[in-house]
């Protein structure tokens, strides 16, 4: 019986001639040779000038250090293997259909295989230039820890060195960790960079090196090993978890095994029996027989002894009766030997073969080595690609270490899953395509990459692409979001944004924190037959919420307000139906947004809109509010007609003279500084309108049947209060801005007396809005109603800049696209929506998107073993900075003014500065200079507002170095303890203020 399986759900790789998984698969399918002569920048330098042939990654020196908040000094000190792994891990997680940031703080494990650190060999021997950054940057053990640290992953994190089997052993450990429950997601991978000639010389002296720099596995022409670069990372999950989350599965790992040669004929010599046993053990754990295995990605180094022993071991296992021989091959024929990364190179090859259901041909299969006796052993090299049959296919991957540690993994094709056909609709559903990056420039770069990829797709619905982007392309501060129904529209929007040099307002924002959202619930007067009908048809979430409101109202109305509303019945204008319809729409819109994760932090309701606001705030239940609204509408509808309302474009004081104490003309609403509403008899209102128009004041009759919010409502007050008598309102869960009182509620209950007074008294909307804004500081005001009314009033009320005014249903013909636009705007402002609720389940399928496009601007590389990488100790001059080709650190950092050694006078009033660069404050200048030196930043990168952790990547080591440099530049600042310094490390400016105050006060230990 087979053990539980592990799904391979994401992958990324960079190999010679293959800068990504697609290029890697293309290289394999065309049988390409990615080996070549060592690039000029990679020449080994003095003592070994002879060019070397092998497999080399282009641009292995490129690293987007700003993305990972790594200072230029630390980036230059880091083994480039660590830098490659960081970017590869990020892309692999994206490929798994999840945002890397979504895993932060969780139990994700990281398992990395690599063979030592040639970087450390190059640089740690120069003892006078050893630094903490170089020490950590040269440690092989830090390779996995870097990923865990920068992505905040808290599961197991370890690096493995078993020589050439390292990365497949890492996969074995990751699989076991998942199956034991130690972690829920695992990153497993390997990396190798050829930085010194040492290991090549060892191979040559052992007779293993290929004279022409090519590996020819299982060929009659095989003549040894050619060293190569490579990095690959896979994302693994328990199969049941991956399927439950709807992740794409490339392949399934059915079982793995690891063993050791033990004492054989030499510590570096392979052992046929151990190789046979590790394969057999993996098959037992996987619950498969050798006859089921269709092909094996062999270790296949192309050495005479290694190929013979491996084929002998494979033959002993696979030489069983079978319909066709077991195909074998080795990617080393395409890449060369990637050593510590060779296992992951083979694993990714097999996963892609199972995913595409085709096995690439074996390079050099045309001249099979007859000594291998492949046919009689049940083995065969593939001279052409072979298509795999439908159903389950099983394959194996072997990787053997020079010290005798052997690993084998058994993979199978992904199980078929029922994904359900997509329904054809008259109009494709609108989705929101999201994208985020760490800088505006990075956002533009990624917009262009996504635009190109979407444009290359056949025209079709964009909903699944949008849903995938919501899961994957989020979590970074600069955001873009576009609503789209098809790929052509989406590609055009992405392209236009990428080509906009300014990244137009509304497309990309710096999302520092989540938005503070205020809901404004519209009152009577904006209702119209058919309102939100299109949204009801297109949005299942809105449909569900409107249905529940209708169900709550129906027992009290004697009919369906939903059917009346959607049917376009003009009876909707009657108060009996208008108020319940507005309540139903308000509740449905508010509940829909809340279900999308865009719920309110404060609510305000205009007149009848306060009932839906009370439900949103948790004061009333839906059923309680529905009963009160229905009773209010019935009572008001039964009043004699003959009253009306008049909207006046004038302030409250300008209409004061027309107000009467009793029936006549009353102040019904104060909607803004120049917007009031009068209520009363029609004749009285017409007289007032005539006078005001004669004065040049604009007046407009409001389309209502009664004189609401006037003494003419007195007959309904007592029965309305009685209807609410049995209700015990709860305390609000969120603040409620009361338009009855014109302010946020304090301890006043929204009981029967409240609702009676609310029906008769004026609506103090402007006052309530002003108090809401002053006391809750909203960043977005969302109108909850069927037409834009309150946000227009809010827009004319003199709101502070930066408050977004949004409306998910702006008019009778509003659609699900308008709802999506509102969610997109809130996302750009920092909201993390519940995106799933925007899409029906049929559209929640993972589509492949291009990985994050990292910056290629910064390059960090050594210029030879004798050239220094980092400056010496803390007191060293910046003139001995790292030799990096990064623009940020390619030349020694110049000491800014004030940073030179020697006393610096304290400012008269402590810290502070008139210039962010420190030009007006010598203390700030000294702090900026110290930061520039410690981090090796370009001087223009650091100013008063730079944050130590978020922007500059400072850690405890750098803080100690910073303290030393500040004390060197400012002797008066001596004696500050690190513990005293820590609270001031919010930004460069706050640290300068603290140091300046310390100096001015003259504190001494």
């Amino acid at each position: 019986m087979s053990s539980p399986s592990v799904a391979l759900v994401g992958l990324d790789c960079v190999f010679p001639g293959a800068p990504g998984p697609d290029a890697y698969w293309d290289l394999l399918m065309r049988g390409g040779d990615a080996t070549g002569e060592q690039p000029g920048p990679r020449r080994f330098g003095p003592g070994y000038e002879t060019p070397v042939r092998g497999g080399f990654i282009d641009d292995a020196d490129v690293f987007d250090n700003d993305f990972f908040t790594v200072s230029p000094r630390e980036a230059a000190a880091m083994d480039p293997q660590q830098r490659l792994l960081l970017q590869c891990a990020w892309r692999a997680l994206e490929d798994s259909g999840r945002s890397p940031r979504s895993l932060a703080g969780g139990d994700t494990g990281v398992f990395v295989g690599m063979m030592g650190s040639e970087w450390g060999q190059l640089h740690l021997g120069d003892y006078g230039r050893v630094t903490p950054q170089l020490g950590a940057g040269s440690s092989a053990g830090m390779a996995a820890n870097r990923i865990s640290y920068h992505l905040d992953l808290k599961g197991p994190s370890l690096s493995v060195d078993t020589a050439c089997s390292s990365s497949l052993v890492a996969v074995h450990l990751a699989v076991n960790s998942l199956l034991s429950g130690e972690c829920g997601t695992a990153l497993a991978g390997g990396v190798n960079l050829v930085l010194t000639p040492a290991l090549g010389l060892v191979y040559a002296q052992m007779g293993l090196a290929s004279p022409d720099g090519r590996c020819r596995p299982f060929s009659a022409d095989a003549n040894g090993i050619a060293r190569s670069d490579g990095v690959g990372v896979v994302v693994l999950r328990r199969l049941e978890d991956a399927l439950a989350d709807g992740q794409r599965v490339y392949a399934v790992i059915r079982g793995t095994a690891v063993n050791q040669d033990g004492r054989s004929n030499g510590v570096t010599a392979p052992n046929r029996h151990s190789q046979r046993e590790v394969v057999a053990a993996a098959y037992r754990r996987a619950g498969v027989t050798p006859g089921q295995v269709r092909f094996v990605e062999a270790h296949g180094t192309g050495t005479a002894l290694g190929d013979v022993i491996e084929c002998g071991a494979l033959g002993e296992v696979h030489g069983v009766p079978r319909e066709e021989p077991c195909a074998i091959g080795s990617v080393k024929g395409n890449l060369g030997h990637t050593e510590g990364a060779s296992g992951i190179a083979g694993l990714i090859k097999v996963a892609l073969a199972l995913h595409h259901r085709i096995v690439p041909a074996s390079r050099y299969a045309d001249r099979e080595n007859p000594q291998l006796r492949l046919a009689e052993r049940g083995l065969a090299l593939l001279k052409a690609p072979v298509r795999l049959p439908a159903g389950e296919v099983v394959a194996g991957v072997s990787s053997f270490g020079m010290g005798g540690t052997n690993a084998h993994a058994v993979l199978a094709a992904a199980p078929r899953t029922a994904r359900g056909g997509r329904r054809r609709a008259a109009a494709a559903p609108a989705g929101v395509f999201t994208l985020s990056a760490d800088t505006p420039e990075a956002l533009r770069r990624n917009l262009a990459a996504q635009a190109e990829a979407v444009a290359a797709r056949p025209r079709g619905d964009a909903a699944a692409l949008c849903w995938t982007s919501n899961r994957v392309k989020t979590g970074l501060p600069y955001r873009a979001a576009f609503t789209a129904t098809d790929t052509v529209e989406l590609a055009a929007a992405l392209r236009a944004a990428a080509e906009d040099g300014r990244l137009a307002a509304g497309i990309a924002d710096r999302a520092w924190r989540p938005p503070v959202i205020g809901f404004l619930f519209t009152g009577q007067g904006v209702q119209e037959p058919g309102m939100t009908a299109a949204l009801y048809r297109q949005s299942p979430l809105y449909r569900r919420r409107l249905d529940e409101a209708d169900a709550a109202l129906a027992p009290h109305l004697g009919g369906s307000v939903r059917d009346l509303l959607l049917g376009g019945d003009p009876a909707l204008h009657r108060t009996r139906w208008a108020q319940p319809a507005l309540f139903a729409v308000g509740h449905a819109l508010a509940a829909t947004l809340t279900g999308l994760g865009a719920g309110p932090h404060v609510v305000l309701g205009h007149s009848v809109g306060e009932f839906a606001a009370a439900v949103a705030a948790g004061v009333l239940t839906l059923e309680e509010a529905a009963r009160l609204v229905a009773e209010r509408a019935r009572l008001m509808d039964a009043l004699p007609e003959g009253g009306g309302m008049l909207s006046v474009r004038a302030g409250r004081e300008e209409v004061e003279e027309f107000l009467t104490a009793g029936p006549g003309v009353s102040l019904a609403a104060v909607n803004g500084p120049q917007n009031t509403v009068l209520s009363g008899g029609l004749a009285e209102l017409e007289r007032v309108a005539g006078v005001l128009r004669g004065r040049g004041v604009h007046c407009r009759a409001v389309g209502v049947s009664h004189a609401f919010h006037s003494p003419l409502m007195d007959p309904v007050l007592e029965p309305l209060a009685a209807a609410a008598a049995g209700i015990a309102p709860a305390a609000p869960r969120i603040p409620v801005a009361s338009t009855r009182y014109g302010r946020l509620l304090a301890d006043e209950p929204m009981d029967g007396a409240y609702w009676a007074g609310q029906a008769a008294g004026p609506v103090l909307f402007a006052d309530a809005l002003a108090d809401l804004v002053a006391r809750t500081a909203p960043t977005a005001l969302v109108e909850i109603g069927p037409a834009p009314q309150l946000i227009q009033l809010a827009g004319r009320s003199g709101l502070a800049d930066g408050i977004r005014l949004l409306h998910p249903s702006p008019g009778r013909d509003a659609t699900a696209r308008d709802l999506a636009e509102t969610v997109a705007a809130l996302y750009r402002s920092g909201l993390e929506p519940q995106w799933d609720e925007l899409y029906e389940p049929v559209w929640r399928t993972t589509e492949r998107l291009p990985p994050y496009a990292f910056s290629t601007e910064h390059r960090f590389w050594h210029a030879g073993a004798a050239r220094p990488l980092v400056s010496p100790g803390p007191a060293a001059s910046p003139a001995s900075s790292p030799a990096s080709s990064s623009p940020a650190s390619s030349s020694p950092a110049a000491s800014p003014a004030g940073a030179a050694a020697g006393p610096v006078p304290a400012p008269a009033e402590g810290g502070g500065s008139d210039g962010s660069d420190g030009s007006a404050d010598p203390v700030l200048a000294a702090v900026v200079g110290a930061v520039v030196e410690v981090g090796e930043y370009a001087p223009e990168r650091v100013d008063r507002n730079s944050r130590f952790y978020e922007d500059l990547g400072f850690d405890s080591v750098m803080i100690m170095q910073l303290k030393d440099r500040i004390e060197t530049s400012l002797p008066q600042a001596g004696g500050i303890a690190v513990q005293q310094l820590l609270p001031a490390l919010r930004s460069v400016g706050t640290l300068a203020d603290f140091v300046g105050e310390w100096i001015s006060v003259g504190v001494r230990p």
Side-chain angles (χ1 to χ4, degrees):
M1 184 179 206
S2 63
S3 60
S5 299
V6 167
L8 195 161
V9 296
L11 55 85
D12 187 72
C13 58
V14 178
F15 292 114
D22 290 342
Y24 184 44
W25 182 245
D26 176 70
L27 176 72
L28 296 173
M29 286 301 296
R30 60 183 170 83
D33 179 4
T35 61
E37 190 171 289
Q38 187 179 25
R42 300 277 292 276
R43 297 291 168 83
F44 295 136
Y48 201 94
E49 292 81 5
T50 306
V52 172
R53 184 181 177 89
F56 300 97
I57 291 175
D58 294 331
D59 300 324
D61 55 341
V62 170
F63 179 51
D64 192 348
N65 62 298
D66 289 335
F67 180 88
F68 294 101
T69 323
V70 175
S71 72
R73 180 181 294 280
E74 185 171 15
M78 284 171 63
D79 186 334
Q81 294 182 121
Q82 296 182 18
R83 306 196 300 246
L84 288 169
L85 278 167
L86 272 174
Q87 297 186 162
C88 192
W90 183 279
R91 292 189 296 257
L93 283 171
E94 283 199 341
D95 188 60
S96 75
R98 303 171 80 181
S99 165
R101 291 294 173 91
S102 70
L103 298 175
D107 66 353
T108 298
V110 181
F111 304 83
V112 171
M114 59 187 295
M115 288 174 54
S117 173
E118 293 187 354
W119 184 259
Q121 298 170 24
L122 286 170
H123 301 292
L124 289 178
D126 190 346
Y127 304 137
R129 296 190 174 183
V130 171
T131 66
Q133 286 84 3
L134 183 58
S138 301
S139 167
M142 289 291 289
N145 301 158
R146 287 278 186 192
I147 298 171
S148 299
Y149 173 78
H150 286 286
L151 303 188
D152 193 21
L153 309 177
K154 298 188 175 180
S157 183
L158 54 104
S159 299
V160 180
D161 183 357
T162 59
C164 305
S165 59
S166 296
S167 55
L168 198 59
V169 171
V171 170
H172 168 77
L173 295 172
V175 167
N176 287 338
S177 182
L178 283 166
L179 296 180
S180 70
E182 191 175 39
C183 61
T185 299
L187 290 168
V191 64
N192 193 67
L193 280 181
V194 180
L195 301 180
T196 78
L199 192 54
L201 294 173
V202 171
Y203 289 158
Q205 292 172 16
M206 295 174 66
L208 301 176
S210 168
D212 60 356
R214 288 185 175 89
C215 288
R216 296 178 175 83
F218 313 120
S219 170
D221 300 320
N223 60 0
I225 293 172
R227 298 189 67 203
S228 294
D229 301 335
V231 58
V233 173
V234 296
V235 182
L236 306 176
R237 298 194 72 199
R238 290 181 288 271
L239 179 60
E240 61 268 31
D241 295 340
L243 294 177
D245 287 349
Q247 289 180 286
R248 176 190 58 240
V249 177
Y250 284 98
V252 174
I253 299 179
R254 295 272 298 270
T256 62
V258 170
N259 74 0
Q260 233 284 333
D261 288 348
R263 188 174 183 87
S264 55
N265 62 342
V267 70
T268 62
N271 184 307
R272 173 173 169 173
H273 303 293
S274 294
Q275 290 182 12
R276 178 197 64 208
E277 285 305 314
V278 79
V279 174
Y283 290 174
R284 287 194 300 273
R285 292 179 185 177
V288 302
T289 63
Q292 294 175 268
V293 180
R294 181 66 184 82
F295 65 100
V296 171
E297 171 66 12
H299 187 59
T301 56
T303 61
L305 179 62
D307 284 1
V308 168
I309 290 177
E310 183 171 14
C311 287
L314 289 173
E316 289 184 28
V317 177
H318 296 93
V320 297
R322 51 192 300 154
E323 293 183 4
E324 54 187 7
C326 177
I328 65 170
S330 172
V331 73
K332 295 176 181 65
N334 306 95
L335 304 177
H337 190 354
T338 52
E339 298 172 333
S342 62
I344 203 68
L347 186 84
I348 292 175
K349 174 186 172 181
V350 171
L352 291 175
L354 292 169
H355 177 66
H356 293 292
R357 305 201 75 85
I358 187 168
V359 186
S362 303
R363 186 169 173 80
Y364 302 115
D366 55 330
R367 282 181 50 80
E368 178 183 314
N369 183 353
Q371 296 181 15
L372 304 180
R373 298 158 37 215
L374 296 180
E376 67 182 79
R377 288 169 166 165
L379 307 173
L381 295 175
L382 294 181
K383 294 181 170 59
V386 171
R387 291 205 169 272
L388 297 174
E392 185 177 62
V393 177
V394 180
V397 184
S398 287
S399 192
F400 308 139
M402 186 167 62
T405 299
N406 309 307
H408 191 83
V410 180
L411 277 68
R416 297 179 67 87
T417 56
R419 292 179 59 146
R422 292 178 183 167
R423 296 178 310 198
R424 294 189 177 274
V432 178
F433 191 92
T434 53
L435 202 60
S436 64
D438 63 319
T439 66
E441 295 76 16
L443 185 59
R444 186 180 298 107
R445 182 173 65 248
N446 278 274
L447 284 166
Q450 295 299 326
E452 181 180 356
V454 174
R457 300 173 70 99
R459 181 166 193 163
D461 300 325
L465 276 177
C466 291
W467 180 80
T468 302
S469 74
N470 303 155
R471 286 171 60 90
V472 175
K473 299 294 185 178
T474 59
L476 299 173
Y478 287 92
R479 303 174 172 208
F482 311 88
T483 56
T485 57
D486 64 44
T487 54
V488 172
E489 179 188 17
L490 177 57
L494 291 166
R495 187 180 299 110
E499 293 172 354
D500 177 3
R502 298 177 296 104
L503 284 178
I507 299 299
D509 290 343
R510 175 64 165 96
W512 290 98
R513 58 187 63 85
V516 177
I517 302 171
F519 277 6
L520 309 180
F521 291 80
T522 318
Q524 193 169 346
V526 296
Q527 72 280 351
E528 59 177 325
M531 59 185 180
T532 73
L535 179 60
Y536 183 86
R537 290 192 304 270
Q538 297 173 13
S539 170
L541 182 57
Y542 179 76
R543 185 162 57 247
R544 187 164 67 248
R545 295 305 192 178
L546 189 65
D547 287 349
E548 74 179 9
D550 182 62
L553 287 163
H556 312 293
L557 296 175
S560 169
V561 70
R562 174 201 60 206
D563 294 348
L564 190 76
L565 184 158
L566 299 176
D569 194 325
L572 191 75
H573 287 299
R574 288 190 55 188
T575 297
R576 177 174 176 243
W577 294 106
Q579 292 186 7
L582 288 169
F583 169 77
V585 167
H587 167 75
L589 284 173
T592 296
L593 285 172
T594 299
L596 287 165
H601 300 91
V602 60
V603 296
L604 179 157
H606 194 287
S607 187
V608 72
E610 277 202 322
F611 288 91
V615 175
V619 175
L620 299 177
T621 66
L622 173 61
E623 291 71 23
E624 290 170 340
R627 181 163 66 85
L628 286 179
V629 168
E631 182 66 7
R632 184 183 195 263
R634 184 190 66 80
L635 291 168
M636 291 183 175
D637 187 66
L639 289 172
E641 296 187 2
M645 304 180 81
L646 182 71
S647 177
V648 181
R649 193 169 294 171
R652 182 174 185 169
E653 62 284 350
E654 296 177 67
V655 301
E656 194 75 36
E657 62 181 282
F658 303 107
L659 305 181
T660 58
V665 176
S666 302
L667 181 68
V670 179
N671 289 331
Q674 292 294 308
N675 193 310
T676 56
V677 179
L678 303 179
S679 185
L682 293 177
E684 290 87 345
L685 290 178
E686 184 58 35
R687 179 185 61 80
V688 171
V691 175
L692 289 170
R693 289 187 183 113
R695 298 175 182 175
V697 178
H698 182 295
C699 300
R700 176 182 60 83
V702 180
V704 294
S705 58
H706 294 79
F708 300 114
H709 297 285
S710 78
L712 293 177
M713 295 290 106
D714 288 351
V716 311
L717 302 186
E718 186 175 338
L720 182 59
I727 293 175
R733 291 194 300 264
I734 58 175
V736 177
S738 166
T739 52
R740 179 185 178 190
Y741 298 131
R743 57 172 171 78
L744 265 63
L745 289 178
D747 298 324
E748 302 90 348
M750 299 181 83
D751 54 11
Y754 179 91
W755 296 114
Q758 188 253 19
V763 179
L764 303 178
F765 172 79
D767 298 333
L769 179 64
D771 196 47
L772 180 155
V773 170
R775 294 172 60 184
T776 66
T779 56
L781 295 175
V782 183
E783 178 148 8
I784 305 299
Q789 183 186 65
L790 301 185
I791 55 172
Q792 293 180 359
L793 297 174
R796 295 194 291 266
S797 68
L799 294 174
D801 291 340
I803 299 179
R804 288 181 177 272
L805 301 177
L806 305 171
H807 196 186
S809 181
R812 172 176 175 170
D813 298 325
T815 66
R817 187 184 188 109
D818 297 293
L819 175 65
E821 289 279 9
T822 298
V823 179
L826 291 171
Y827 166 78
R828 290 192 294 265
S829 298
L831 181 74
E832 298 296 347
Q834 298 295 319
W835 289 111
D836 281 5
E837 295 297 332
L838 196 64
Y839 309 87
E840 293 185 74
V842 71
W843 299 105
R844 298 178 205 158
T845 58
T846 303
E847 299 285 335
R848 195 154 182 243
L849 297 174
Y852 189 87
F854 291 105
S855 170
T856 58
E857 178 184 359
H858 295 174
R859 294 176 179 268
F860 303 92
W861 202 250
H862 66 96
R867 190 163 182 178
L869 177 68
V870 291
S871 59
S877 164
S880 57
S881 300
S884 162
S885 57
S886 163
S889 58
S890 58
S891 59
S895 298
V904 177
E909 299 295 333
S913 170
D914 294 326
S916 64
D917 61 354
S919 58
D921 181 353
V923 173
L924 178 59
V927 171
V928 168
V931 170
V932 166
E933 186 178 351
V934 168
E936 198 64 27
Y937 282 106
E940 61 271 16
R941 269 290 310 275
V942 182
D943 60 26
R944 181 179 182 86
N945 298 318
S946 300
R947 299 171 299 169
F948 281 102
Y949 304 115
E950 298 90 339
D951 300 329
L952 301 173
F954 266 62
D955 57 22
S956 56
V957 171
M958 296 174 71
I959 290 168
M960 291 296 299
Q961 294 173 325
L962 179 66
K963 176 180 179 294
D964 292 341
R965 280 156 172 76
I966 290 174
E967 290 179 346
T968 298
S969 298
L970 300 170
Q972 312 96 305
I976 300 176
V978 172
Q979 289 79 2
Q980 294 172 303
L981 208 63
L982 293 177
L985 292 173
R986 297 188 301 278
S987 69
V988 171
T990 58
L991 177 60
D993 292 344
F994 171 78
V995 173
E997 183 177 355
W998 177 278
I999 292 173
S1000 65
V1001 172
V1003 177
R1004 291 292 180 271

